[in-house]
């Protein structure tokens, strides 16, 4: 029932992640994470939903998409399309190495009351001033920076796409994220504004949730160096996520900054 | 066989110069399936740390197609791919070649010669991985110590995509 109520504000809700994070997960799902041959392509689905990885709620916004090629430059996705429940795009992997695919949602979220009605607004910081009517009450402004990623490697993995931007929560591999094997521990580091994000809870959920009853959620906590480790119980696609908030805002009206990171990782059988 | 061969005068003369050798037999099972494709197969020697000590054989579709000479599907040999297959520049002389038919495939390697090279003394595992289009995947492992002081016959048995994998070591 909660789901049904939430659905009404569908698009708005996804925009409001991580507020909506407990119910809806934003994800990308690549058709493969290891490719080879002279002309490799992958196709990727992107959506927000509760179950993983079933596009049954709202599509992801592809204007948030940035693909970083192994040489650190931006690569262009092709055949992008946004449908009812999912967005999809293809990626032509013209360089050897690891590509980083990221949906980055950065902006300002405001809640306020106007004429006795609760209102919500989100958008760019620059548009904030004109967006909230004069006389609005209980104005609460938050800044947000949410990142959702996945990785695809053509041939041998590389590190060129992982140079942190220094903004928000970011993942730096210790174990290569396209080299994950069931039963083997994998480690990564989370950075917050480029520095180790210590003491953050990271959750991992295996895909194919429709075909089991247990949520099968694993948890790990980042150490002082931002590092965390997960051991994958079985092969499959996993969704990992972490979120935090602080007061380091860059928009003066905002009191709070909300940050989240999520990634889809493929785990292969030994 | 070996004893017989060694008894011939020519070989006796050559014996001091003969390097240790390592013979591998890979059985590709005959499968009664509607759609059969010969398996992609990799044979390699792994060190204790799982690093590749030697790439011995790689069989994959050689036929040119729009997608390339079958290299598109090499990551299906998952373990081989991750453990070092992706580091190779294909084709590799004396290692890569066409897929093989069902039956026993015999491979001979000599210490000091490519592709085995000079295998340092130590503990190793012979690994054979097979993956078949419209079929399954299997990895068979045969641990061994190198060099050997006596002739040794080691073996492991696959259950689906591979049959018996035999490893004969000669000092």
């Amino acid at each position: 029932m909660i789901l049904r109520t939430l659905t009404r504000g569908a698009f708005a809700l996804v925009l409001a992640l991580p507020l909506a994070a407990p119910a809806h997960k934003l994800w990308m799902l690549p058709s493969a994470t290891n490719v080879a041959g002279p002309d490799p392509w992958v196709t990727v689905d992107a959506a927000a939903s509760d179950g993983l990885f079933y596009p049954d709620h709202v599509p992801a916004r592809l204007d948030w998409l940035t693909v970083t090629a192994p040489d650190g430059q931006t690569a262009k996705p092709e055949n992008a399309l946004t449908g009812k429940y999912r967005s999809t795009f293809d990626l032509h992997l013209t360089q050897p190495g690891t590509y980083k695919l990221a949906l980055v949602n950065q902006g300002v979220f405001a809640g306020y009351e106007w004429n006795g009605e609760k209102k919500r607004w989100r958008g760019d910081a620059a548009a904030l001033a004109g967006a909230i009517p004069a006389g609005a009450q209980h104005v609460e402004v938050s800044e947000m920076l949410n990142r959702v990623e996945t990785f695809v490697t053509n041939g041998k993995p590389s590190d060129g796409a992982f140079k942190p931007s220094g903004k928000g929560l970011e993942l730096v591999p210790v174990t290569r994220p396209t080299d994950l094997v069931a039963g083997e521990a994998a480690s990564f580091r989370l950075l917050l504004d480029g520095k180790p994000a210590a003491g953050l809870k990271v959750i991992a959920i295996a895909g194919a949730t429709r075909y089991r009853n247990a949520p099968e959620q694993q948890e790990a906590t980042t150490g002082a160096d931002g590092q965390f480790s997960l051991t994958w119980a079985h092969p499959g696609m996993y969704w990992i996520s972490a979120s935090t908030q602080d007061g380091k805002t860059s928009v003066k009206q905002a009191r709070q900054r909300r940050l989240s990171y999520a990634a889809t990782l493929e785990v292969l059988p030994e | 066989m070996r004893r017989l061969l060694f008894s011939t005068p020519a070989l006796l003369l050559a014996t001091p110069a003969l390097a240790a050798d390592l013979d591998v037999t890979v059985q590709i099972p005959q499968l009664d399936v509607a759609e059969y494709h010969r398996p992609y197969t990799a044979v390699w020697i792994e060190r204790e740390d799982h690093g590749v000590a030697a790439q011995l054989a790689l069989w994959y579709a050689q036929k040119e197609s729009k997608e390339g000479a079958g290299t598109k599907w090499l990551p299906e040999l998952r373990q081989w791919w991750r453990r070092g297959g992706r580091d190779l520049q294909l084709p590799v002389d004396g290692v890569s070649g066409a897929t093989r038919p069902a039956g026993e495939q015999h491979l001979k390697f000599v210490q000091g010669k490519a592709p085995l090279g000079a295998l340092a003394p130590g503990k190793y595992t012979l690994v054979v991985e097979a993956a078949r289009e419209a079929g399954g995947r299997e990895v068979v492992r045969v641990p061994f110590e190198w060099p050997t002081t006596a002739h040794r016959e080691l073996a492991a048995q696959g259950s689906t995509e591979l049959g018996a994998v035999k490893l004969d070591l000669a000092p």
Side-chain angles (χ1 to χ4, degrees):
Chain A
M1 286 316 95
I2 288 171
L3 254 177
R4 184 84 36 219
T5 320
L6 288 175
T7 311
R8 253 179 256 151
F11 216 74
L13 256 170
V14 176
L15 299 175
L17 283 168
L19 283 179
H24 293 101
K25 303 162 185 87
L26 185 60
W27 47 262
M28 277 187 281
L29 186 67
S31 56
T33 60
N34 278 281
V35 294
D39 192 32
W41 288 75
V42 291
T43 185
V44 182
D45 285 347
S49 63
D50 180 24
L52 294 168
F53 291 89
Y54 309 110
D56 59 4
H57 186 50
V58 285
R61 284 181 50 167
L62 291 183
D63 56 341
W64 294 349
L65 177 66
T66 303
V67 179
T68 308
D71 66 0
Q73 300 299 304
T74 302
K76 202 174 160 289
E78 298 188 43
N79 305 322
L81 170 94
T82 293
K84 171 69 179 165
Y85 281 152
R86 64 165 178 171
S87 291
T88 177
F89 59 91
D90 295 337
L91 181 63
H92 190 190
L93 296 97
T94 56
Q95 296 176 25
T98 304
Y99 283 70
K100 180 169 83 176
L101 291 65
L103 294 170
V104 182
N105 165 22
Q106 185 171 15
V108 173
F109 180 79
Y112 59 92
E113 268 183 49
W114 197 54
N115 289 342
E117 261 188 82
K118 284 197 175 171
K119 301 269 190 190
R120 283 166 147 187
W121 178 87
R122 86 161 291 284
D124 289 336
L128 177 67
I132 298 174
Q137 294 194 313
H138 306 294
V139 180
E140 281 206 35
V141 178
S142 314
E143 229 176 290
M144 61 182 157
L145 178 45
N146 306 313
R147 202 173 250 119
V148 173
E149 297 181 339
T150 195
F151 311 96
V152 181
T153 298
N154 175 20
K156 213 175 156 175
S158 64
D159 299 322
F162 290 101
K163 199 171 168 275
S165 70
K167 288 179 190 152
L169 278 176
E170 292 177 279
L171 184 93
V172 180
V174 178
T175 307
R176 298 187 185 280
T178 54
D179 266 358
L180 310 178
V181 177
E184 286 183 14
S187 299
F188 308 98
R189 286 175 70 213
L190 273 179
L191 303 181
L192 177 56
D193 295 338
K195 296 185 190 76
L200 277 197
K201 188 173 89 172
V202 181
I203 61 155
I205 303 171
T209 53
R210 186 180 291 162
Y211 310 114
R212 64 173 189 262
N213 296 323
E216 274 190 32
Q217 181 171 314
Q218 269 195 78
E219 286 182 15
T221 304
T222 61
D225 55 356
Q227 192 163 320
F228 65 97
S229 176
L230 291 162
T231 301
W232 321 96
H234 51 79
M237 285 287 188
Y238 285 74
W239 189 79
I240 64 165
S241 102
S243 60
T244 188
Q245 44 189 288
D246 62 22
K248 294 178 186 165
T249 57
S250 56
V251 180
K252 71 173 192 314
Q253 298 94 322
R255 281 190 312 189
Q256 188 186 52
R257 185 173 70 145
R258 296 165 185 265
L259 308 122
S260 74
Y261 180 85
T264 303
L265 303 172
E266 185 175 41
V267 176
L268 293 176
E270 170 67 63
Chain B
M1 267 303 272
R2 193 166 301 277
R3 233 170 278 135
L4 275 176
L5 282 173
F6 269 69
S7 69
T8 67
L11 268 167
L12 266 183
L13 284 175
T15 303
L18 265 186
D21 63 18
L22 185 153
D23 294 353
V24 177
T25 305
V26 177
Q27 190 189 20
I28 297 175
Q30 187 85 47
L31 298 171
D32 185 18
V33 291
E35 183 188 344
Y36 181 77
H37 301 272
R38 293 177 180 183
Y40 273 37
T41 307
V43 182
W44 75 100
I45 293 174
E46 213 171 76
R47 288 188 292 265
E48 280 190 290
D49 66 359
H50 301 306
V52 176
Q55 295 278 5
L56 299 182
L58 173 68
W59 306 327
Y60 64 98
Q62 306 284 300
K63 207 177 88 183
E64 284 291 344
S65 71
K66 228 177 166 182
E67 289 170 339
T71 50
K72 177 178 177 181
W73 307 109
L74 286 173
E76 299 287 319
L77 292 166
R78 285 183 211 123
Q79 211 173 99
W80 171 79
W81 184 251
R82 185 166 75 105
R83 300 257 165 94
R86 63 193 178 193
D87 299 337
L88 293 182
Q89 287 294 323
L90 294 171
V92 180
D93 260 8
V95 174
S96 62
T99 52
R100 305 278 181 108
E104 285 197 338
Q105 303 296 331
H106 299 277
L107 307 167
K108 283 182 149 328
F109 304 99
V110 177
Q111 171 79 343
K113 285 190 183 172
L116 180 61
L119 198 59
K123 288 183 175 173
Y124 295 96
T125 303
L126 172 78
V127 191
V128 181
E129 180 172 14
R132 187 167 50 88
E133 182 181 354
R137 169 184 169 267
E138 185 165 29
V139 180
V140 172
R141 311 173 71 86
V142 185
F144 67 97
E145 281 189 47
W146 186 260
T148 179
T149 49
H151 179 228
R152 289 185 66 101
E153 291 183 358
L154 305 167
Q157 183 68 36
S159 59
T160 52
E161 299 299 330
L162 287 165
V165 172
K166 292 179 203 155
L167 174 63
D168 287 5
L169 304 176

